[in-house]
């Protein structure tokens, strides 16, 4: 079994990668940082010595680099079973006064990355032989910011609304191909975005909570798919 996970050098992406590696998957992961992706690959290899870990450096907001990562993944294996579009970035700001170019930046990182990476591997997934009733599963990491607008959400929220639309369209397109599509909308989750915030780690979710939810969705019977899931801290949004 083989999974492709974008933005997997830390935080939610690394937690997801650990979950799949420990459950027998080989994986392809990427990051913009050579140092961070090598560190992540070492951690993952230690979890299962025989696992095949493909670590690639790229910036997925650029179409050519997203396509290149897809090709690397396809060259590494004969079958991609799971694609997890996790790469993303949060930069707060209001539409009226956020920096010029912020919309383009957020759309590139949070939407175009998923769009171009998915398109680079989807035809291969469609050609997979049915295994346990499905040909593959695509997970798109969105946000509660895609469900309800809020002050200081700005272009980040816009990009996540767009990702939500992409994911819903993909779900409808791939039903008959027996490829599942799931959208995950997490609230506040411990990651680099919260560094220096002063927030108590017990107030927000762990990255492992998101990984556990994704593995649960993947583990369902072929007759069932979780189309959308929302996860929030027990005490609500921060």
């Amino acid at each position: 079994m083989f999974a492709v996970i974008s933005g997997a050098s830390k935080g939610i992406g690394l937690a997801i990668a650990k979950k799949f590696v420990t459950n027998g998957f080989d994986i392809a992961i990427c990051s913009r940082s050579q140092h961070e992706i090598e560190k992540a690959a070492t951690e993952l290899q230690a979890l299962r010595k025989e696992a095949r870990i493909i670590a690639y450096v790229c910036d997925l907001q650029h179409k050519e680099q997203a396509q290149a990562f897809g090709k690397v993944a396809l060259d590494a294996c004969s079958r991609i079973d799971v694609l997890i579009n996790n790469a993303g970035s949060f930069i707060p700001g209001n539409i009226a006064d956020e920096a010029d170019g912020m919309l383009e930046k957020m759309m590139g990182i949070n939407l175009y990355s998923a769009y171009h990476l998915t398109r680079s591997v989807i035809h291969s997934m469609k050609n997979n032989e049915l295994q346990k009733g499905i040909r593959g599963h695509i997970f798109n990491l969105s946000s509660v910011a895609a469900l309800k607008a809020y002050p200081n959400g700005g272009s980040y929220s816009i990009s996540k609304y767009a990702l939500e639309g992409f994911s819903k369209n993909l779900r409808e397109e791939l039903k008959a191909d027996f490829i599942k599509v799931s959208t995950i909308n997490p609230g506040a989750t411990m990651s680099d975005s919260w560094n220096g915030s002063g927030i108590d780690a017990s107030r927000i979710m762990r990255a492992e909570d998101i990984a556990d939810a994704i593995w649960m969705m993947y583990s369902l019977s072929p007759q069932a798919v979780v189309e959308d899931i929302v996860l929030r801290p027990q005490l609500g949004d921060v």
Side-chain angles (χ1 to χ4, degrees), residues 22 34 38 92 96 140 238:
T22 55
Q34 181 80 43
E38 289 177 355
N140 295 312
V238 177

Side-chain angles (χ1 to χ4, degrees), residues 156-167:
Y156 171 77
S157 183
I158 292 169
S159 69
K160 288 299 188 178
Y161 268 95
L163 180 64
E164 192 84 9
F166 162 72
S167 199

Side-chain angles (χ1 to χ4, degrees), residues 8-10 14 29-44 53 55-58 192:
S9 64
K10 55 188 175 182
L14 181 57
I29 58 175
C30 71
S31 169
R32 288 177 289 181
S33 166
Q34 181 80 43
H35 170 72
E36 290 180 352
I37 200 68
E38 289 177 355
K39 182 174 180 290
T42 299
E43 283 186 51
L44 292 165
I53 312 293
Y56 188 71
V57 178
C58 60
D192 280 3

Side-chain angles (χ1 to χ4, degrees), residues 48-93:
R48 207 176 97 246
K49 299 294 185 184
E50 70 275 18
R52 188 175 184 197
I53 312 293
I54 309 299
Y56 188 71
V57 178
C58 60
D59 187 345
L60 294 184
Q61 67 181 301
H62 303 296
K63 175 181 177 179
E64 297 79 10
Q65 295 189 42
Q67 291 172 331
F69 178 50
K71 185 178 186 304
V72 165
L74 289 171
D75 288 345
C77 67
S78 59
R79 175 190 174 101
I80 293 174
D81 298 281
V82 176
L83 168 62
I84 301 173
N85 288 307
N86 169 72
S89 179
F90 169 64
I91 301 177

